[in-house]
Amino acid sequence: MCREFLERPEMKEMGNEIERVLDQPQLVKRSRSDEAVLSFYEFYTQTMVGGKWLCVVVKYLENDAFVVTAYLTDKPKPGEDLSHLRCPAILTFCTFLDGRKDAVVSACPR
């Protein structure tokens, strides 16, 4: 996974919040188009573009999971609300020998 989404100006200050949102999301939604994709949301009153939701999108595979993207949005997307499960994702950032950075996510994608 490439973390290019953190290079966008509005996301630069939000990089440290991604792990927190995955650990303690305010809202979790399952994608309507792909049941293996969950979006983790937290509302921030003060971002560089005003009050916005930080959305971290995670794709779950059989034995793996990864962050697809993260972005700020005015409102959460429609989808099945899974907030009641309280099953946080665990995000670990890895740096490879060639300098690439990646994120590894693990959690129950119920």
Side-chain angles (χ1 to χ4, degrees), residues 47-62:
T47 72
M48 92 180 302
V49 289
K52 299 284 182 183
W53 289 89
L54 173 58
C55 175
V56 183
V57 181
V58 177
K59 170 85 174 189
Y60 292 89
L61 304 174
E62 187 173 326

Side-chain angles (χ1 to χ4, degrees), residues 22-72:
L22 290 173
D23 186 46
Q24 297 178 343
Q26 186 175 344
L27 181 65
V28 180
K29 296 271 193 147
R30 184 185 309 274
S31 169
R32 293 189 332 180
S33 60
D34 185 344
E35 68 178 32
V37 172
L38 299 183
S39 295
F40 296 78
Y41 291 93
E42 182 74 24
F43 189 78
Y44 290 84
T45 57
Q46 296 180 345
T47 72
M48 92 180 302
V49 289
K52 299 284 182 183
W53 289 89
L54 173 58
C55 175
V56 183
V57 181
V58 177
K59 170 85 174 189
Y60 292 89
L61 304 174
E62 187 173 326
N63 294 311
D64 196 12
F66 59 93
V67 174
V68 175
T69 191
Y71 58 91
L72 294 172

Side-chain angles (χ1 to χ4, degrees), residues 28 30 36 38 40 58 60 65 82 85-90 105-110:
V28 180
R30 184 185 309 274
L38 299 183
F40 296 78
V58 177
Y60 292 89
L82 301 178
L85 294 179
R86 287 293 170 219
C87 181
I90 299 166
V105 182
S106 59
C108 56
R110 294 181 238 177

